[in-house]
Amino acid sequence: MDRITTNPDQCGGRPCVRGMRIRVADVLDLFAAGLSVDEVIADLPDLEHEDLIACFQYAARQVDPKVLSK
């Protein structure tokens, strides 16, 4: 998960990809709009395929966070 970064001084502290001003939410919105992997990378050429996977992994962990048992 080192590809997803948060910085309170960047993008309002929202999670971004590799310190760039590309928010995880923006990447997910492009997929939700029906774009393919190739189209997302064409739209955001600084992204790598591994960045897209990291965005999905991050989102999955936010939806279903691991619960530590006591």
Side-chain angles (χ1 to χ4, degrees):
M1 290 307 303
D2 58 330
R3 289 182 174 267
I4 306 302
T5 58
T6 55
N7 178 343
D9 297 325
Q10 182 181 12
C11 295
R14 293 180 184 93
C16 295
V17 179
R18 290 186 289 124
M20 298 183 284
R21 293 187 179 275
I22 301 173
R23 298 179 309 155
V24 170
D26 296 332
V27 174
L28 297 175
D29 283 343
L30 291 174
F31 280 111
L35 273 68
S36 69
V37 168
D38 291 334
E39 291 170 323
V40 171
I41 291 176
D43 246 20
L44 301 167
D46 290 331
L47 292 181
E48 300 170 355
H49 186 263
E50 292 81 7
D51 297 326
L52 304 181
I53 293 169
C55 287
F56 281 116
Q57 289 173 334
Y58 181 86
R61 289 184 180 138
Q62 296 304 305
V63 172
D64 190 20
K66 293 182 180 179
V67 178
L68 300 175
S69 53
K70 295 182 180 186

